[in-house]
Amino acid sequence: MTENGYHHERVLTVDTMNPRVKEVQYAVRGPIVLRAVQIEKELKEGVKKPFTEVIKANIGDCHAMGQRPVTFLRQVLALCTYPELLEDNKFPEDAKSRARRILQSCSGGSIGAYSASQGIEVVRQDVARYIERRDGGIPCNPDNIYLSSGASDAIVTMLKLLVSGEGPTRTGVMITIPQYPLYSATLAELGAVQINCYLNEEKCWSLDVNELHRALEAARKHCTPRALCIINPGNPTGQVQSRECIEDVIRFAAEENLFLMADEVYQDNVYAEGSKFHSFKKVLFEMGPEYSEKVELASFHSTSKCFMGECGFRAGYVEVINLDPEVKAQLTKLVSVRLCPPVPGQALLDVVVNPPQPDEPSHATFMEERTTILTRLANKAKMTQEILNQVPGIQCNPVQGAMYTFPRLNLSQRAIQEAKEKGQEPDMFYCMKLLEETGICLVPGSGFGQREGTYHFRMTILPPPEKLKIVLAKVKEFHQRFTERYS
Amino acid sequence: MTENGYHHERVLTVDTMNPRVKEVQYAVRGPIVLRAVQIEKELKEGVKKPFTEVIKANIGDCHAMGQRPVTFLRQVLALCTYPELLEDNKFPEDAKSRARRILQSCSGGSIGAYSASQGIEVVRQDVARYIERRDGGIPCNPDNIYLSSGASDAIVTMLKLLVSGEGPTRTGVMITIPQYPLYSATLAELGAVQINCYLNEEKCWSLDVNELHRALEAARKHCTPRALCIINPGNPTGQVQSRECIEDVIRFAAEENLFLMADEVYQDNVYAEGSKFHSFKKVLFEMGPEYSEKVELASFHSTSKCFMGECGFRAGYVEVINLDPEVKAQLTKLVSVRLCPPVPGQALLDVVVNPPQPDEPSHATFMEERTTILTRLANKAKMTQEILNQVPGIQCNPVQGAMYTFPRLNLSQRAIQEAKEKGQEPDMFYCMKLLEETGICLVPGSGFGQREGTYHFRMTILPPPEKLKIVLAKVKEFHQRFTERYS
């Protein structure tokens, strides 16, 4: 009792808080990144370290790693933000015409107004035309496009719709392992069952339909599997799935009555010879009406990756196919509670899907910037794989696409033992030591899931070529030192 | 069975979908707004109506209603978006220095990079200093600030942390009725119990602590009340709570062990003589350490309202006070899953909390624009209340603050009967008829909650003065016609 006569206890504690939130894990920004931020502060304060800077190769953040924004995108955005610039002759006409069109589609002519909750109609129309071009003319209805705050937002929303039941009727969602931890985090928060299906590391992280069957059968004993999530090109594994694999997945989803979620945010990031991006939608429609009129598919895209790398704007979309009309109405209602996705991001997305055409003044510069960025990424993908594979005890699949490598680490029993004594996963132990000794910040494979007894890390290919070379050399050196120390 | 040998059923239907999502309602963008959009399309297609345009007074969207963006805010944003403009002498130095400071605090110097999940550190520092100035020097720790995608995002996140339990241990959250439907929608989605406490319409929507006690006691029989949400200045009711009321609420929360959530997004929107905005934090700290060291408080703010009206940027923040450190770590983890709030919005928020100073070149223009906007709002608040109160059968409390009036409608038994026969709430019936006959889009009181047997609508005061006058005259005319028809 206090002097005021009441006894006050803390309301919100780890014991009383939402237990599902406690289950959430998100390795990409987990303890290793918190430590990296600390080390950066220590360096600033003059603490002596065996390195002079922290290099963050933990997150797919192109601009943070020095990639410059694409001029045309930012010109249109500046014009939308401060329309007085429409009178400025420094801005090209094609940028101005796009800005005018976007502003005309905003309430009150301002990107400061709310948009429709589903997103600005004009932007959804442009997205639909972009998808049609991408998929060789397969029709796309703008009504099936929902703009979002990054792809993450749309993925969470779709999972939210899918989750129901208790005990054996509880929704199970199949995800391929290693996975991007947004999926595991969201399923934990929603109280759904995560069903792990392992990618085949030996065959370049391909997906075998037998493994899907195995995982599904096992899961049916304790939950109700209702969806299957595929990331292609792959995060964290950097593979690009073959057309055959995608067909297999679609056939599997059709036969087993599963809702398909295709995370295709890296669709422009394909580097390897012989690899090609096949959208789930295109393959679905090319498989004929038997599939295209039945399989429920949600496909996600974003402005954060590809050549744009505009993560900070938080823009993305989902296209829903064969969604039940009543569920679609529920989806529209649900997104309306959060009012609308960020409008500057919607404007940015519009420019991404509606880039300068050959007869427009900005075309040459735009294409040059785009090509340079994608070519550099392709070169870095190759370099990464080559250098890492020179290290005894590291095996690395080709980085066919996306922005990551997920190499396998041979760790000695002594290293594994010491990690366990510290209560750490062996690859977390490894990455922490790497960070402390070299300043390089990677994410341990355990944050994404991996086959028991295997160890990995995820590293982005985003640092500039010269820096990436140094990073790879340091990793090589460290790995040799680490191997000797724990041999 | 199909010819391919499998039997395909739709996976996601209203019968199989997440039942909590079905419970969600959001009247501000509900059926009446969908109908308004339809009518707009009909008008465009040449369909004859008794009016020529739809006037949306349903949503607090300033720019959509013709308010122009504040020059300084947009200048800084344009500079951040397209830093080449930093060389342009058309932009004032104070705008440039702010843009440079923001860009330096972004990874890679780009607003296209992800920020820290909690928000850019410099912006959080500026927010903290703004709160300190607002609250007469009471300290604010930037570590307690979490930037968000509009205030809505932060409100949902805090509620997420608070929800737990089943049956009688299920979390109950007290909200004042009429409420902003983000709260009811989020509680439905999270499966928490909504505890209604009614504002006193007779006393200008003030909050009586006896009503809080009544609601709490009733709720304790079937759930575990853990939080109390207050919106001040009020949405949808436009009242500004007195300092005494806020003290009562804090004392109540302290005695009854409730987590306080103060939605203070309208803190600059105070118009009535004698009304003043008192932040919950300031009052809490002025009540002494007995309260200030114990009561857990989350206070929310946004760039969407006040003089800025920049809803489209989706920017906001929450300040957490006395939050358990372990829960705070969980909060940081939770927000990291969604990576970061939109960075352009964070930049905008920084300018809002760090406006031009008297010795800076943009000060005079900035102050003039700000004052003009707030003065016009004050005039419209007064006009709205005066005109509506002239209508027999409408009673309207003073619009002391925020952007809304929530007048009471006397509806005849015949009108109520006819609405019920159509399966509509009487005020929905009224608002639908108003929309069809006049093109004016309001939100029925039933979308916010109201005492049984009373009927209201929410109307914004945002249309330009001349248009607002027309809207009010049309509502007056319509109400008389409606009353005669159903008398």
Side-chain angles (χ1 to χ4, degrees), chain A residues 2 10-11 16 24 29 63 74 81 88 90 110 112 117 160 189 226 290 296 311-312 322 333 343, chain B residues 2 10-11 21 24 29 63 74 81 88 90 110 112 117 160 189 226 290 296 311-312 322 333 343:
Chain A
T2 69
R10 218 193 267 271
V11 181
T16 63
V24 167
R29 296 204 155 191
H63 292 199
R74 293 302 189 89
T81 303
D88 191 321
K90 271 203 304 287
S110 168
S117 300
K160 233 180 230 177
E189 196 187 314
R226 304 179 67 214
E290 191 64 21
E296 294 152 81
C311 331
N322 293 323
K333 177 193 76 180
V343 178
Chain B
T2 70
R10 220 193 267 270
V11 181
V21 170
V24 167
R29 296 203 155 192
H63 292 199
R74 293 304 189 88
T81 302
D88 191 321
K90 272 204 302 286
S110 168
S117 300
K160 233 180 232 179
E189 198 188 312
R226 305 181 66 215
E290 192 63 24
E296 294 151 80
C311 331
N322 293 324
K333 178 192 74 179
V343 178

Side-chain angles (χ1 to χ4, degrees), chain A residues 440-453:
Chain A
I440 298 168
C441 180
L442 307 179
V443 191
S446 44
F448 303 91
Q450 52 199 355
R451 279 203 186 268
E452 177 127 15

Side-chain angles (χ1 to χ4, degrees), chain B residues 211-362:
Chain B
E211 167 62 9
L212 291 176
H213 280 291
R214 180 207 62 76
L216 185 73
E217 291 318 313
R220 281 203 167 127
K221 289 174 193 145
H222 59 93
C223 69
T224 303
R226 305 181 66 215
L228 167 58
C229 305
I230 304 279
I231 310 173
N232 180 53
N235 175 8
T237 36
Q239 84 285 21
V240 179
Q241 298 297 5
S242 70
R243 193 190 157 96
E244 291 65 41
C245 166
I246 293 169
E247 284 179 14
D248 284 349
V249 168
I250 291 172
R251 226 172 275 119
F252 173 77
E255 287 163 11
E256 303 293 350
N257 255 43
L258 295 168
F259 191 105
L260 259 180
M261 295 189 35
D263 180 340
E264 299 178 318
V265 300
Y266 299 98
Q267 54 190 265
D268 291 340
N269 299 110
V270 176
Y271 318 118
E273 253 178 75
S275 286
K276 192 174 173 258
F277 170 70
H278 301 277
S279 81
F280 267 81
K281 184 186 179 191
K282 183 162 192 268
V283 176
L284 177 67
F285 275 74
E286 288 174 354
M287 286 169 75
E290 192 63 24
Y291 295 94
S292 68
E293 290 173 5
K294 286 181 182 156
V295 174
E296 294 151 80
L297 171 67
S299 157
F300 305 92
H301 195 19
S302 157
T303 61
S304 303
K305 313 296 170 186
C306 299
F307 66 94
M308 306 77 83
E310 294 278 13
C311 331
F313 280 80
R314 311 308 300 119
Y317 72 79
V318 56
E319 180 186 11
V320 291
I321 292 158
N322 293 324
L323 191 65
D324 180 287
E326 287 179 283
V327 175
K328 195 167 173 301
Q330 292 284 335
L331 170 59
T332 304
K333 178 192 74 179
L334 182 62
V335 296
S336 78
V337 178
R338 296 293 284 275
L339 297 161
C340 71
V343 178
Q346 296 186 48
L348 180 76
L349 177 62
D350 190 62
V351 195
V352 168
V353 296
N354 187 15
Q357 296 306 299
D359 59 346
E360 291 186 312
S362 303

Side-chain angles (χ1 to χ4, degrees), chain A residues 328-404:
Chain A
K328 195 167 174 302
Q330 292 284 335
L331 170 59
T332 304
K333 177 193 76 180
L334 182 63
V335 296
S336 78
V337 178
R338 296 294 284 277
L339 298 160
C340 70
V343 178
Q346 296 186 47
L348 181 75
L349 177 62
D350 190 62
V351 194
V352 168
V353 297
N354 187 13
Q357 295 306 299
D359 59 346
E360 291 186 311
S362 303
H363 184 258
T365 308
F366 175 81
M367 287 309 290
E368 196 203 309
E369 290 179 2
R370 184 184 192 280
T371 308
T372 303
I373 291 167
L374 291 176
T375 307
R376 289 181 97 193
L377 283 170
N379 293 339
K380 292 191 285 184
K382 213 172 158 205
M383 186 209 298
T384 302
Q385 165 203 347
E386 280 171 3
I387 297 182
L388 286 179
N389 274 329
Q390 291 164 9
V391 187
I394 294 186
Q395 293 107 48
C396 177
N397 271 319
V399 183
Q400 298 171 328
M403 297 175 169
Y404 316 100

